[in-house]
Amino acid sequence: MTRVRQMNTMCLFMVAYLLSYIDRQILALLIGPIQSDLFLSDTQFACLNGLAFSLLYAILGFPLASMSDRYPRPPIIVGGVILWSLATMACGLCNSFWSLFLCRVIVGLGEAALAPAVYSYIADVVPRERLAGTLAFFFLGSFLGSGCAFLFGGWLLAFVQHHHFVTLHAWQVCFMVVGLPGILLGIIIALTVHEPSSRKVPLRPVPVSVAISFFRSHSTFFSLHMLGYTLLAVTLFSLFSWMPAQMMRVHHMSHTDLGLTLGLIVIVAGCGGAFTSGRLIDILTKRGIWYAPQLVASGAAFAASIPLVISVTTMDTHLAIVTFSVAFFFASFPMPPSATVLQIAVPATMRARFSAAMLFCNAIGGLSGGSLLIGALNDKVFHSAASIGTSIALVAGTASVLGGVLLLFCIPSYRILCNGPVKMERIVGLPAAQEGA
């Protein structure tokens, strides 16, 4: 694959990730009108924003990842993009909690197909010394998408509310509009992206028992790695999910002002953090620091904790915005290293499945668990909508520190694993891992 074609493919994958985050994140911005029209509590909204999305996203990630290890990945990616886009548009036809819950479940199903297939595809065509930077470029889509959801979602909501040109609620129109571009993108990917000709697929599928055996032989590393990054996912997704509510309830920001402010922060700080993280890992790795992913991720986790707590507990709006920007910059660091390490340490024939396991932990623990815990604390313990900042500080702040500690603890076991994939593949009689073109 030529460098130009490789870059075009990476751009399409990044745009797909961008649209996936617009479709999943737009719900957080629409919390006010949705709760008002459907009479939802914070716990119910947390179910829509976390549990509903992560339900099939986490569970069906495994069979979809297994398919990505054995079959051409572009059709899997295309199917996922079109499915979640249609489901997002269907959210605009919902008029109850359960109908919206079901559509969010299908959104999660579609998005479950994207990341494991893309991770595996990238690892097959990109050299190891550029892997972290390339994955960081892909992850820019998550922050660009979330930023666009805030930035244009607030404007779109205000525009529809002002004109009243349809019988649907304004938030329903927003879902229909943001879901439409994904269908067009799916068609473009189907026509332009093809499986790399150099890919070597095993004649027989890798048994689940082999993947379990590989996990058990390095259980210390995988347990610390996945739990550590799950805790850091709690931090990041808590900010994604609940910061809009914090800003509207405590600082009384309008949807338009909130969308502009959070949109710019997520785009600038989030993209800056992900890009800086990937570049730091590549630079440190070239200098012989083999534990660069853990070093970068844990350092950022500690750096994010204090400004995070300040941003959700201060009553000063300007201070809240500045400290949230700093916290979000560092909270975005763990995304590239979490994926990079698995692509390096796991045999090529099992990469997608281990990536799915990581995404399962992030979805159930990070997105669903963290969001639900914050909503439940607010409903059951503090009994006040204005106390959302305290709930965020307790959950996200604690998770950030604990996650950083666990990633430091997993450094010794990572060193043992570094030479493991090739050895493991020889034992089970599978092709050696490809190091990239």
Side-chain angles (χ1 to χ4, degrees), residues 7 42 108 123 179 312 319 373:
M7 278 305 302
D42 279 351
V312 296
L319 180 60
L373 183 55

Side-chain angles (χ1 to χ4, degrees), residues 159-167:
F159 179 83
V160 176
Q161 287 175 331
H162 177 72
H163 286 83
H164 300 290
F165 53 84
V166 290
T167 57

Side-chain angles (χ1 to χ4, degrees), residues 152-183:
F152 299 110
W155 172 84
L156 178 62
L157 181 65
F159 179 83
V160 176
Q161 287 175 331
H162 177 72
H163 286 83
H164 300 290
F165 53 84
V166 290
T167 57
L168 297 172
H169 293 296
W171 59 267
Q172 293 175 308
V173 177
C174 290
F175 277 121
M176 290 186 171
V177 171
V178 301
L180 187 60
I183 298 174

Side-chain angles (χ1 to χ4, degrees), residues 222-264:
F222 285 118
S223 298
L224 291 173
H225 176 88
M226 292 188 178
L227 181 56
Y229 280 110
T230 296
L231 288 169
L232 299 189
V234 169
T235 301
L236 182 61
F237 288 128
S238 294
L239 296 178
F240 269 137
S241 300
W242 287 107
M243 203 61 186
Q246 164 73 4
M247 288 296 190
M248 285 188 286
R249 295 176 185 180
V250 176
H251 300 284
H252 308 292
M253 297 183 70
S254 67
H255 281 92
T256 304
D257 291 341
L258 175 67
L260 178 63
T261 302
L262 292 189
L264 290 175

